[in-house]
C-alpha cells in the first residue's frame, strides 16, 4: 500500500512542478511520477528533510527539487527541438 501512495504523491508533486514552471513533462502521468520521485530525491539531498511528510515525501523539498528538475528538462528538450529544426 505504501508503494501505491508513493506513486500517487510522486505524480501529484510532478504535476504541481509542471504547473508552477508552466511546462509539461514528456510522458504524461508516467513522466509526472518520475519527475516527482526524482525531484523528491534531489530536493531531499540538497535541502534536507523538513516540512510536512506524506508517504516518505517531505513536501517542500520534494516540490522545490521537482520544479528544478522540470525546468532543467524543459531547457534540454527546447535545445533538442532547436537542434532538429
Amino acid at each position: 500500500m505504501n508503494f501505491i501512495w508513493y506513486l500517487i504523491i510522486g505524480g501529484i508533486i510532478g504535476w504541481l512542478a509542471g504547473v508552477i514552471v508552466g511546462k509539461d513533462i514528456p510522458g504524461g502521468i508516467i513522466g509526472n511520477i518520475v519527475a516527482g520521485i526524482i525531484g523528491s530525491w534531489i530536493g531531499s539531498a540538497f535541502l534536507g528533510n523538513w516540512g510536512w511528510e506524506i508517504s516518505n515525501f517531505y513536501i517542500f523539498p520534494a516540490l522545490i527539487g521537482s520544479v528544478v528538475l522540470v525546468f532543467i528538462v524543459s531547457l534540454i528538450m527546447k535545445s533538442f527541438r532547436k537542434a532538429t529544426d
Side-chain angles (χ1 to χ4, degrees):
M1 188 68 181
N2 193 27
F3 181 71
I4 293 171
W5 277 111
Y6 198 70
L7 293 177
I8 291 170
I9 300 301
I12 291 171
I13 288 175
W15 172 75
L16 282 173
V19 168
I20 290 171
V21 174
K23 307 284 184 187
D24 277 336
I25 289 290
I29 189 70
I30 302 297
N32 284 340
I33 292 171
V34 170
I37 292 171
I38 294 174
S40 172
W41 177 74
I42 291 170
S44 294
F46 291 106
L47 299 174
N49 299 329
W50 51 274
W52 297 316
E53 179 185 13
I54 300 174
S55 182
N56 294 330
F57 282 97
Y58 288 91
I59 300 300
F60 297 119
L63 189 58
I64 293 168
S66 295
V67 165
V68 169
L69 179 69
V70 168
F71 182 73
I72 290 171
V73 168
S74 69
L75 286 178
I76 291 171
M77 295 302 290
K78 186 177 180 181
S79 69
F80 279 142
R81 276 184 251 141
K82 283 185 179 180
T84 59
D85 288 340

